Amino acid sequence: MHGRILANMPVRASWVDSESGRRVEVEGSTENVGENSTLVNLDVLPPVGSEVKLRILEDEKPIIEVSTEVIRVERDPSKPMAALSVVQNLKKWKQVALTAAENWVTRHWQLNYEEEWVN
């Protein structure tokens, strides 16, 4: 697999602000999940090149936590996003994050499919 899975899973991201030295923590969601990266929607964007701890959540509990590096940001006010490259635990990322994304898609596809037939 070399594609991306379009899944909207909740995340928590944290990093140290280089100017103030304070830890920034924000919540958001994935836009898509790939084999070694993810695109996330965050209200506050980390600077390109910074290290970000990323936690993907399921039922408000972390299912995986990885160190990532910001490789790109999109500062669209309606949908600010950061592209994060996984820099550690890549094997676990592929097993846990990709499986969770696939499961998310399956659940939501089934819900949408069933809703169309109900109407």
Side-chain angles (χ1 to χ4, degrees):
M1 179 179 112
H2 291 286
R4 297 189 169 279
I5 300 169
L6 300 176
N8 188 349
M9 299 182 298
V11 298
R12 286 195 188 114
S14 63
W15 65 92
V16 176
D17 180 69
S18 59
E19 292 180 17
S20 69
R22 292 186 179 154
R23 180 161 279 304
V24 178
E25 283 202 41
V26 295
E27 293 186 356
S29 61
T30 59
E31 179 79 10
N32 61 51
V33 178
E35 286 188 320
N36 58 5
S37 63
T38 185
L39 185 62
V40 294
N41 299 313
L42 302 171
D43 290 334
V44 177
L45 295 174
V48 172
S50 59
E51 183 180 320
V52 173
K53 288 281 187 202
L54 180 70
R55 291 173 211 86
I56 294 181
L57 310 173
E58 195 170 271
D59 298 324
E60 298 193 29
K61 296 179 184 132
I63 59 170
I64 188 169
E65 179 177 318
V66 293
S67 290
T68 65
E69 181 180 343
V70 181
I71 54 176
R72 177 175 50 92
V73 295
E74 296 180 18
R75 298 190 186 280
D76 179 343
S78 67
K79 197 173 191 179
M81 294 188 285
L84 306 176
S85 178
V86 178
V87 295
Q88 118 188 136
N89 293 333
L90 197 52
K91 185 175 181 180
K92 185 175 180 183
W93 172 264
K94 288 179 182 180
Q95 293 170 344
V96 176
L98 288 176
T99 299
E102 290 170 352
N103 291 341
W104 185 93
V105 169
T106 301
R107 271 193 318 274
H108 286 81
W109 178 82
Q110 288 174 338
L111 288 174
N112 290 337
Y113 182 76
E114 289 170 3
E115 285 177 10
E116 285 182 21
W117 285 99
V118 169
N119 292 329

